[in-house]
Amino acid sequence: MTDETIPSLRERVILVTGAGSGLGRASAHACAARGATVILLGRTTRKLEQVYDEITAAGHPQPAIFPMDLEKAADHDFDTLAQTIGYQLRRLDGIIHCAAEFEPPSPLGLQSVEAWQRLYKVNVIAPFAIDRACLPLLAAAPDASVVLVGESHGHQPAAYWGGFAVAKAALEAYFRIQAAEWAGSANLRVNLVIPGPINSPQRARSHPGEDKARLPGLGSLAGELAGLMSAGGRGQLIEWQPPD
Ligand SMILES: NC(=O)c1ccc[n+]([C@@H]2O[C@H](COP(=O)([O-])OP(=O)(O)OC[C@H]3O[C@@H](n4cnc5c(N)ncnc54)[C@H](OP(=O)(O)O)[C@@H]3O)[C@@H](O)[C@H]2O)c1
């Protein structure tokens, strides 16, 4: 799908998690450039403010900022997020879940319970809890779209990927359950996108010695995620391939 064929996101409100860096930042830009009002959610306010400034400087709709530590968030925090969106923006048309916790690969014998809990909380529980809290807003939208971002080692676990792969596998299980529950809905869609290697901050940590110049940049994948906000898949697991 090219930029020209992606329908406008004007009038839509899109929540992007992990919006302060990497794929989340690129996705926020891609949605804003298509006319969406973007809610920038992330842990570090300074990074969110920078993305806010970039989007407004580009002349796109004024975004909103919602700093939130997904590792520490409890039920009432997710409810507050949904209530704030409803009160301030009156609608929610889509969510792109890019926030992710990562631990460098290591043997299972060296992995801690604390790290596994952190990985599970940010990578699995948070997307579920955000979707659940925001469901009334999504259900009221004419065409609501949720995108989850998976990882190839969650799809096909391998040695040393430990708690990160287990959490991403659980995210895939959550995706299948949510897709099945929304299969009969006229206005609720969820898709899971597995990026493969992309030149993003997480990749720099998982493959530190790699030549980053050989990796696809974030722009075209972010455009694909923005495109899914208004058209395309329903219950699809998309193993993303960069355009030739
Ligand atoms: N890079 C690849 O090759 C690749 C391949 C396959 C899949 N993916 C997936 O693509 C997604 C994005 O990757 P990326 O490299 O763009 O990631 P990234 O730049 O490392 O960004 C992760 C984001 O998540 C936020 N985050 C982390 N912990 C958080 C918490 N407790 N509360 C709130 N926000 C939190 C971070 O915010 P702060 O910066 O403020 O901490 C950051 O903005 C991930 O799901 C990743 O697994 C990447």
Side-chain angles (χ1 to χ4, degrees), residues 15 39 81-92 137:
L15 171 64
I39 304 160
L81 167 67
Q83 284 161 9
T84 306
I85 294 169
Y87 184 71
Q88 294 192 357
L89 295 163
R90 304 281 168 203
R91 63 185 290 163
L92 182 65
L137 288 165

Side-chain angles (χ1 to χ4, degrees), residues 17-24 41-44 47 68-72 97-101 122 149-152 164 168 194-203 206 218:
T17 76
S21 64
L23 185 58
L41 186 152
R43 183 167 43 184
T44 311
K47 293 183 185 176
M68 186 171 186
D69 186 339
L70 296 172
E71 183 192 341
K72 301 200 171 73
H97 291 281
C98 293
E101 175 70 22
V122 177
V149 179
E151 216 275 344
S152 51
F164 177 73
K168 288 290 190 175
I194 298 179
I198 46 169
N199 189 4
S200 79
Q202 188 179 103
R203 182 81 186 181
S206 62
L218 292 168

